[in-house]
Amino acid sequence: MFEKFNFELDKTDYVGYEYAEDSYNSYGANGFYKLKNGGVFNPDEGVDYYSYYVVPPLPSYFSFFYRYFRLIR
């Protein structure tokens, strides 16, 4: 899903994605948004990067971590 970073998603505060109210109980952390396929993702922004932690829908037993570095000039 996040093969290429979409700056518009970050700028619009992930409009179109439902916030997972139960994310702490279900995934052990807050800030997850629901994906259309039943999985969830958690966005994070650092000084020089954006990242996504993606949990696919059940019965998956793995997760994905995407990190995109931005140039600081």
Side-chain angles (χ1 to χ4, degrees), residues 4-5 7 11 20-21 27 32 34 37 39 41 45 51 53 58 64 68-70:
K4 183 178 178 183
F5 186 77
F7 287 95
K11 289 179 187 175
E21 297 293 339
Y27 308 105
F32 280 85
K34 296 179 181 180
N37 67 2
F41 72 97
E45 180 180 352
S51 64
Y53 177 64
L58 292 174
F64 296 98
Y68 302 94
F69 293 93
R70 56 183 161 191

Side-chain angles (χ1 to χ4, degrees), residues 41-72:
F41 72 97
N42 181 316
D44 183 32
E45 180 180 352
V47 174
D48 61 348
Y49 68 87
Y50 291 98
S51 64
Y52 292 111
Y53 177 64
V54 179
V55 179
L58 292 174
S60 297
Y61 56 91
F62 57 88
S63 61
F64 296 98
F65 181 76
Y66 299 94
R67 179 162 281 179
Y68 302 94
F69 293 93
R70 56 183 161 191
L71 296 175
I72 298 175

Side-chain angles (χ1 to χ4, degrees), residues 5-51:
F5 186 77
N6 184 346
F7 287 95
E8 294 304 314
L9 278 179
D10 184 62
K11 289 179 187 175
T12 61
D13 201 25
Y14 302 94
V15 69
Y17 290 95
E18 181 183 353
Y19 186 75
E21 297 293 339
D22 63 344
S23 61
Y24 185 79
N25 294 330
S26 298
Y27 308 105
N30 290 320
F32 280 85
Y33 292 88
K34 296 179 181 180
L35 293 168
K36 293 175 177 83
N37 67 2
V40 294
F41 72 97
N42 181 316
D44 183 32
E45 180 180 352
V47 174
D48 61 348
Y49 68 87
Y50 291 98
S51 64

